[in-house]
Amino acid sequence: MAQMTIDPATISQLLGAKERVQLLDRDGKILGYYEPPMSVFWLDDVSEEELDRRESEPGGLTTAEAITYLKSQRQSCTKSSGSAGR
């Protein structure tokens, strides 16, 4: 992958981005896009009370339970598609 060095002012602007940014030249020509790293920006608008409420809701799966469930679904899909053409 090619790399470019950018000036500190542009770095500051990009670090504040919370979504994909279109990079343009002075004439408005699209040069490319900047995608900020994965983050928890989606939590910015959620209050602590709402997070607590969501956490205390019944149900849900642990990570291990979710992985087990997804693996079982993949296996059942593989079995179904393997016999579908017979």
Side-chain angles (χ1 to χ4, degrees):
M1 176 188 317
Q3 295 181 338
M4 298 177 77
T5 302
I6 56 176
D7 64 274
T10 304
I11 292 171
S12 179
Q13 288 180 311
L14 292 175
L15 290 176
K18 294 186 178 187
E19 60 187 356
R20 189 176 191 200
V21 176
Q22 196 174 54
L23 303 172
L24 310 171
D25 68 10
R26 293 179 190 262
D27 298 323
K29 179 182 174 189
I30 298 172
L31 300 174
Y33 299 88
Y34 168 76
E35 190 82 35
M38 288 289 291
S39 181
V40 291
F41 289 127
W42 56 272
L43 290 177
D44 286 351
D45 297 331
V46 181
S47 68
E48 284 295 322
E49 293 79 19
E50 175 62 12
L51 291 174
D52 291 340
R53 184 193 68 75
R54 291 178 186 183
E55 190 175 298
S56 66
E57 282 184 353
L61 301 173
T62 65
T63 302
E65 292 168 335
I67 290 170
T68 300
Y69 171 76
L70 292 171
K71 284 181 179 179
S72 74
Q73 295 302 300
R74 180 175 56 191
Q75 289 171 353
S76 66
C77 288
T78 303
K79 289 177 186 175
S80 297
S81 65
S83 62
R86 293 182 185 167

